[in-house]
Amino acid sequence: MKRISIVLGVATTSLLLAAFSQANEGHEIDIHKVSAEGVGDKIGSVVLEDSEYGLLLTPKLSDLTPGAHGFHVHENPNCEPAEGDSGEMTAAKAAGGHFDPEETGSHEGPYGEGHLGDLPVLVVNEEGEATTPVLAPRMSVDDLDGHSLMIHEGGDNYSDDPKALGGGGSRMVCGTVNL
């Protein structure tokens, strides 16, 4: 019985070390609050890692509004405000629209055939923290180079109906990806 415990202990330690080693291979992207006035305080990071099932994004974020939030890759590596359609400065508008290299023009979520930048919804707990990893099956770390990660105020229904781009709302936090 003691031998089994030792073997299990060694196996568990090996698995933990492998997981720790693999986690250190990821790229850590700083995430900041954004507003029409500019890029604000850092609220954490998102670690990007390739897996056999696609891109794994592991958030380590705090100071967010609890609930579901739209999470996307945007075209440009720029989180600065820019003039919006209404002529007013808009938070992180310089990031451009959703990353859509195939020019599908549709928002279908991470498992659909629309924007490649459609990521799974980011869930924020009651303490304002997001720590649950999400998987983007159609992407790899290299796909994000030269783009930005954006989190929106509201959720995402992975459709352009009844509101365009999943109805996620305003841009609230952003991070640039330059690998």
Side-chain angles (χ1 to χ4, degrees), residues 26-179:
H27 297 276
E28 191 165 345
I29 308 304
D30 290 343
I31 304 294
H32 297 263
K33 287 189 173 186
V34 292
S35 70
E37 288 75 43
V39 177
D41 295 335
K42 178 181 171 183
I43 62 160
S45 63
V46 174
V47 175
L48 310 174
E49 298 175 78
D50 286 323
S51 80
E52 66 181 291
Y53 302 106
L55 174 66
L56 183 66
L57 299 100
T58 304
K60 301 178 205 170
L61 304 170
S62 60
D63 202 23
L64 293 168
T65 307
H69 294 274
F71 190 25
H72 306 105
V73 177
H74 280 245
E75 297 171 311
N76 307 317
N78 190 339
C79 295
E80 294 293 332
E83 193 171 299
D85 296 335
S86 66
E88 294 184 22
M89 294 303 281
T90 302
K93 185 72 172 172
H98 291 183
F99 180 49
D100 189 16
E102 300 297 320
E103 299 180 8
T104 65
S106 66
H107 181 72
E108 298 179 24
Y111 298 96
E113 295 180 13
H115 303 153
L116 187 59
D118 290 345
L119 300 175
V121 168
L122 186 74
V123 177
V124 178
N125 67 23
E126 290 300 316
E127 288 79 39
E129 299 169 339
T131 58
T132 303
V134 297
L135 183 68
R138 301 184 299 147
M139 297 191 81
S140 70
V141 169
D142 289 341
D143 291 328
L144 271 68
D145 190 26
H147 300 287
S148 58
L149 290 174
M150 190 76 62
I151 300 172
H152 297 265
E153 286 184 356
D156 190 334
N157 69 1
Y158 305 134
S159 173
D160 289 317
D161 185 42
K163 290 179 127 180
L165 305 175
S170 300
R171 300 165 186 210
M172 63 182 226
V173 298
C174 179
T176 58
V177 183
N178 294 299
L179 305 177

